[in-house]
Amino acid sequence: MELIDQLKSEYSEISYLQNAAALMVWDLRTYIPPKGAENRAEALGYVSTLAFKKAVSDEFGALLSQLNERATQEGLTDDEKAMVRVATKAYKRARSIPPELHHRFSVLTSKSERVWERARKENSFSSLEPYLEEIVDLSREMAELYGYEENPYDALLEGYEEGMTARKLRKVIEPLKSELIPFVKKILDKGTHPDTSILQGMFSKRAQEKLSRRALKFIGYDFDAGRLDETVHPFTIGIGVNDVRVTTKYVIEEFTPSLFGSIHEGGHAIYEQGLPISLKDTPIYGACSLGIHESQSRMMENIVGRSKEFLSFFYPQIQKAFPSNFRSVSLGDFYRAVNNVKPSLIRIEADEVTYNFHIMVRFELEEALMKGDLKVSELPGAWNAKMREYLGIEPESNRDGVLQDIHWPSGMIGYFPSYMLGNLYAAQIYAKARQDIPNLEKRIEKGDVLALVDWLRKNIHAVGRKHEPERLLKVATGKELDSSYFLKYVIDKYSEIYFI
Ligand code: ZN
């Protein structure tokens, strides 16, 4: 057998195991009977470890090093070269951490997640503090082992967004800060604020579900290759080819969280449904990066879902679903209400204008922790100071501050920037799609989102992991990452909404 065919066959075994693990995760997070969860979690751990062990085995390493030899490389197609590149990078990264450190870190983080749940409930940062200290210590140790050029933080960032560095992030953050801080102030001081009380009421779960399904269909989600279920914490999960599932959460007093949540998850899901089937079970069948993944969900949720065009088509259906609530509410009032800007303490409740500030707070703090410029004990104070600086508000308790996210207790330092990158990528990619597709806005106004989806399929989804995120963005949009697209998008949109 040719070496590259060996790689494909080894990799298909890895992906079958990953499919099995994903199905177990989906079940654990949706419908598993409560008593079954403990045993299932053990089985899941075993299956995931099998996949991991296979991908880091000496045999797999030997195969990859043969594939990386020049003579072999010359006989490979571009796709095959990409498979070798992606598999080799993942292999080296995983192998650079000794198994015992890996084990220590996963035991520590699963404990610390449980401690965090209580610490948050009891508003007690001090009970989490020793765990975070150890997480930072081990993360610094791992960063040294992964290796980096300039900044230990970069070594962690690399695990979520290949090629990204703190320096590059700062470059895109600076203009966001200098433009958006005064812009938010202007909105708050001079803007005409929408009436958001029109969004409150009683909304039956059944009607909400129907609406979510309808919206998902409009954005191109294929129900024959997925399903929609209900959970406490909404998520999307790709179980395998033609099986990408989404979940949402229904709140009776308000239907917009389920609607926009479904559209958000739908954006993630159509990305995975659009991955190149010809490359299935290979290392490059997958999303390019977390940031690119998030760009697809945010584009659908915010740029499309909360646009005047989409709503001018979809709002009549909302009125039909909830006639007593919206019969006498105009499209304009509804559009403005779902685009309300309000600095909030909680990241996941933030609007599109203020969201990135939440990420800047976290990015600057976690980078300082990694560089040793900040101690864990100083986190709550530093958090509050940054919140005041960027958002003009400060939490009264750590529960609404430094304790709100699970990421740090889970050991995911370096994850947060991908949310912000998602916003920036989305605006840049959408700007290019708008240039390429004639009358895109008019089409969306008529309910045709599929022209956009087709463009995304071709330029983003079908690429899988053939390119690194930086290259994908360059090929798809012709430009390097540039925050001015996002700035123009939010400033134009919200100046109109707030009459400023
Ligand atoms: Zn998302």
Side-chain angles (χ1 to χ4, degrees):
M1 192 172 7
E2 296 255 0
L3 289 171
I4 191 70
D5 295 325
Q6 265 183 55
L7 176 72
K8 290 177 191 168
S9 125
E10 290 282 324
Y11 208 83
S12 63
E13 284 181 42
I14 294 173
S15 64
Y16 294 153
L17 290 168
Q18 285 168 342
N19 289 357
L23 184 56
M24 288 165 129
V25 169
W26 176 83
D27 186 45
L28 265 171
R29 292 170 73 176
T30 51
Y31 301 124
I32 195 164
K35 286 184 178 170
E38 198 179 328
N39 184 64
R40 180 65 51 79
E42 273 171 37
L44 168 65
Y46 181 77
V47 174
S48 314
T49 310
L50 275 185
F52 180 74
K53 273 191 181 152
K54 216 169 164 42
V56 299
S57 69
D58 292 340
E59 296 76 29
F60 198 59
L63 175 63
L64 288 172
S65 69
Q66 278 178 291
L67 276 162
N68 277 297
E69 278 166 21
R70 190 136 65 119
T72 323
Q73 281 277 316
E74 278 165 6
L76 300 181
T77 64
D78 284 348
D79 283 356
E80 289 167 346
K81 280 181 193 157
M83 290 175 200
V84 176
R85 175 181 65 79
V86 170
T88 307
K89 221 166 168 180
Y91 176 81
K92 282 191 179 152
R93 194 171 167 88
R95 286 288 289 230
S96 53
I97 305 297
E100 71 76 35
L101 177 54
H102 200 276
H103 181 73
R104 249 170 77 204
F105 194 68
S106 67
V107 172
L108 169 66
T109 51
S110 64
K111 252 194 227 157
S112 129
E113 279 178 9
R114 284 201 299 271
V115 173
W116 166 76
E117 266 173 45
R118 259 187 85 173
R120 188 184 185 199
K121 227 176 264 157
E122 294 166 1
N123 192 31
S124 155
F125 181 75
S126 59
S127 57
L128 185 66
E129 201 179 313
Y131 292 88
L132 284 183
E133 267 166 11
E134 210 177 331
I135 286 170
V136 171
D137 284 346
L138 294 190
S139 299
R140 290 173 69 178
E141 205 176 320
M142 293 199 277
E144 293 305 320
L145 293 164
Y146 289 136
Y148 55 87
E149 277 176 21
E150 188 177 15
N151 184 335
Y153 181 72
D154 296 345
L156 301 186
L157 205 46
E158 177 75 16
Y160 303 102
E161 197 70 15
E162 228 181 320
M164 188 46 68
T165 63
R167 183 183 285 272
K168 289 181 198 169
L169 279 175
R170 268 203 194 89
K171 212 177 123 204
V172 291
I173 284 175
E174 278 321 310
L176 292 179
K177 269 189 202 170
S178 61
E179 298 264 339
L180 287 185
I181 293 176
F183 184 64
V184 171
K185 201 170 173 328
K186 202 163 141 198
I187 285 181
L188 297 178
D189 293 348
K190 303 207 179 105
T192 313
H193 292 262
D195 174 11
T196 54
S197 70
I198 56 170
L199 301 175
Q200 308 287 328
M202 290 299 274
F203 304 94
S204 84
K205 205 163 108 176
R206 232 181 110 103
Q208 290 194 48
E209 190 188 329
K210 236 172 114 183
L211 214 49
S212 281
R213 285 182 186 277
R214 193 161 288 171
L216 280 168
K217 277 194 187 140
F218 277 116
I219 63 162
Y221 180 73
D222 180 0
F223 275 95
D224 288 332
R227 47 182 292 136
L228 169 69
D229 291 275
E230 185 183 353
T231 38
V232 190
H233 304 290
F235 64 96
T236 300
I237 191 163
I239 291 172
V241 172
N242 285 325
D243 187 357
V244 184
R245 306 181 187 189
V246 292
T247 64
T248 197
K249 173 177 148 181
Y250 303 106
V251 185
I252 297 302
E253 298 78 23
E254 215 177 343
F255 82 98
T256 43
S258 73
L259 176 65
F260 291 110
S262 299
I263 298 177
H264 179 98
E265 299 306 330
H268 279 302
I270 56 175
Y271 183 11
E272 295 205 16
Q273 287 183 336
L275 291 172
I277 292 188
S278 62
L279 298 173
K280 77 181 178 81
D281 303 332
T282 75
I284 52 175
Y285 183 84
C288 172
S289 73
L290 275 185
I292 298 289
H293 223 312
E294 199 63 17
S295 77
Q296 300 304 291
S297 56
R298 278 168 200 260
M299 185 189 299
M300 284 303 164
E301 179 192 347
N302 293 328
I303 304 181
V304 176
R306 291 178 205 265
S307 70
K308 215 191 286 161
E309 291 76 24
F310 181 75
L311 290 173
S312 66
F313 162 77
F314 200 70
Y315 183 56
Q317 312 210 18
I318 295 173
Q319 285 177 305
K320 221 162 110 191
F322 308 114
S324 59
N325 305 78
F326 295 110
R327 196 181 292 118
S328 52
V329 174
S330 72
L331 167 66
D333 287 346
F334 183 80
Y335 165 66
R336 297 184 65 230
V338 297
N339 286 293
N340 183 45
V341 176
K342 187 168 185 263
S344 67
L345 296 169
I346 307 296
R347 175 183 59 86
I348 57 168
E349 291 166 9
D351 57 81
E352 345 175 48
V353 187
T354 59
Y355 189 92
N356 291 327
F357 292 130
H358 291 266
I359 303 306
M360 293 174 202
V361 169
R362 289 155 177 79
F363 157 61
E364 286 168 9
L365 295 176
E366 60 184 15
E367 191 215 6
L369 287 172
M370 285 299 290
K371 284 165 82 178
D373 296 343
L374 182 77
K375 291 198 210 86
V376 169
S377 60
E378 296 165 337
L379 259 183
W383 177 286
N384 295 355
K386 284 204 185 289
M387 284 297 288
R388 175 144 302 285
E389 186 187 345
Y390 297 143
L391 286 139
I393 48 175
E394 215 176 281
E396 274 170 24
S397 72
N398 289 324
R399 187 190 291 132
D400 293 333
V402 69
L403 287 176
Q404 68 185 271
D405 298 303
I406 195 175
H407 302 61
W408 291 340
S410 291
M412 296 189 287
I413 297 176
Y415 187 117
F416 284 118
S418 53
Y419 294 121
M420 182 181 71
L421 289 167
N423 291 328
L424 305 183
Y425 292 151
Q428 186 166 335
I429 292 170
Y430 188 80
K432 181 66 167 72
R434 207 172 151 214
Q435 253 179 32
D436 289 357
I437 306 167
N439 302 318
L440 177 57
E441 263 100 31
K442 284 233 161 60
R443 284 173 195 250
I444 294 178
E445 214 174 74
K446 289 192 192 115
D448 172 18
V449 184
L450 297 184
L452 173 66
V453 175
D454 281 344
W455 188 96
L456 293 170
R457 287 254 184 275
K458 202 165 118 235
N459 292 282
I460 310 289
H461 307 170
V463 181
R465 302 188 65 187
K466 283 185 218 176
H467 303 318
E468 297 175 357
E470 236 174 339
R471 172 117 186 95
L472 175 73
L473 192 70
K474 184 81 202 281
V475 173
T477 70
K479 300 264 169 47
E480 309 281 335
L481 176 58
D482 180 348
S483 38
S484 68
Y485 293 97
F486 177 77
L487 278 172
K488 183 171 167 22
Y489 159 70
V490 284
I491 291 174
D492 285 355
K493 177 174 174 181
Y494 289 89
S495 297
E496 197 200 309
I497 290 175
Y498 278 82
F499 303 108
I500 49 173

